[in-house]
Amino acid sequence: DQQVKQNSPSLSVQEGRISILNCDYTNSMFDYFLWYKKYPAEGPTFLISISSIKDKNEDGRFTVFLNKSAKHLSLHIVPSQPGDSAVYFCAAETNQAGTALIFGKGTTLSVSS
Amino acid sequence: EAGVTQSPTHLIKTRGQQATLRCSPISGHTSVYWYQQALGLGLQFLLWYDEGEERNRGNFPPRFSGRQFPNYSSELNVNALELEDSALYLCASSRVGKSYEQYFGPGTRLTVT
């Protein structure tokens, strides 16, 4: 049972355009959501997060939107750059003690120049 | 500040053998997490250690085990290796109570032949 789903395995975008990566979840107990970026041969690096009490968080070119009623979040990258090409993982956490991050399967973003 | 380190980078074992993977967290981090990234499956949570104790484990058989040492470094042991154990094993660390801010190491690539 996949609690965090990234239904698009891949996304191709031109440099300068917007990249939108989507994530759906099923567990209403999730209270914190994160996006990680992973380059080949490296571990995932934290990108941006959002608490369930917010609907938007922005950090430079990266914005995460949360729609709790739809159990959906998205990561917007504007403008996209070739260096953004990587695998992006959506992750979620509950506030229950002893739980760990639940990751989606990832979306591979390719930004062409 | 040094990041999370993992050793070895690559490990090749034959079916039935045992593998030991090591992780050193960021200084000041007391929690260590282990994840398995098998092909096409995203990051699957394996184990979580905090203050030397196992806090939680994912849906993996008992032949996956580990421990955390007094200096907060950790070992992951995989007994009776099977071909499907071939994967990238990622270690992450966080400060206590901040499991939503995990920092990952580069991983150990385990190949079982």
Side-chain angles (χ1 to χ4, degrees):
Chain A
D1 178 29
Q2 217 180 330
Q3 298 185 63
V4 177
K5 300 177 185 178
Q6 293 178 257
N7 292 319
S8 297
S10 62
L11 175 68
S12 295
V13 172
Q14 281 194 318
E15 181 179 9
R17 307 293 290 268
I18 184 171
S19 294
I20 300 176
L21 295 94
N22 294 303
C23 179
D24 297 298
Y25 63 94
T26 58
N27 189 343
S28 58
M29 296 299 292
F30 287 143
D31 67 341
Y32 215 85
F33 303 90
L34 307 93
W35 286 94
Y36 281 82
K37 179 170 72 173
K38 185 180 184 301
Y39 294 116
E42 295 182 11
T45 55
F46 170 76
L47 197 55
I48 192 169
S49 63
I50 187 167
S51 165
S52 61
I53 63 174
K54 296 188 176 182
D55 55 16
K56 177 182 175 181
N57 188 25
E58 196 171 349
D59 184 2
R61 296 186 298 114
F62 303 90
T63 303
V64 57
F65 295 92
L66 176 63
N67 183 334
K68 285 188 68 176
S69 61
K71 293 190 174 68
H72 176 84
L73 67 156
S74 60
L75 173 68
H76 293 211
I77 306 174
V78 183
S80 301
Q81 300 173 354
D84 296 330
S85 297
V87 179
Y88 289 79
F89 290 98
C90 171
E93 191 207 35
T94 73
N95 58 6
Q96 297 171 319
T99 62
L101 291 178
I102 307 297
F103 284 83
K105 291 186 178 182
T107 297
T108 300
L109 173 65
S110 299
V111 180
S112 57
S113 55
Chain B
E1 181 182 76
V4 177
T5 59
Q6 292 186 245
S7 63
T9 304
H10 294 91
L11 189 58
I12 300 174
K13 294 284 186 179
T14 57
R15 193 169 50 184
Q17 285 188 316
Q18 179 198 35
T20 298
L21 290 67
R22 296 179 176 82
C23 171
S24 291
I26 291 172
S27 177
H29 288 191
T30 61
S31 293
V32 170
Y33 313 81
W34 287 95
Y35 294 87
Q36 181 196 66
Q37 187 185 11
L39 195 62
L41 291 181
L43 278 75
Q44 304 287 312
F45 167 66
L46 263 167
L47 289 160
W48 173 4
Y49 291 96
D50 183 56
E51 296 287 352
E53 293 192 10
E54 183 181 298
R55 297 296 185 189
N56 199 5
R57 66 178 293 130
N59 189 24
F60 281 84
R63 56 191 187 82
F64 286 84
S65 65
R67 54 181 172 166
Q68 187 178 33
F69 299 99
N71 66 353
Y72 304 114
S73 67
S74 176
E75 263 183 12
L76 173 68
N77 295 293
V78 188
N79 294 319
L81 284 165
E82 300 178 2
L83 296 178
E84 52 265 34
D85 296 333
S86 295
L88 179 67
Y89 289 84
L90 292 159
C91 171
S93 73
S94 75
R95 295 188 184 278
V96 62
K98 291 196 177 280
S99 58
Y100 52 86
E101 287 185 10
Q102 295 182 24
Y103 295 83
F104 284 81
T108 292
R109 173 71 63 184
L110 173 64
T111 302
V112 183
T113 61

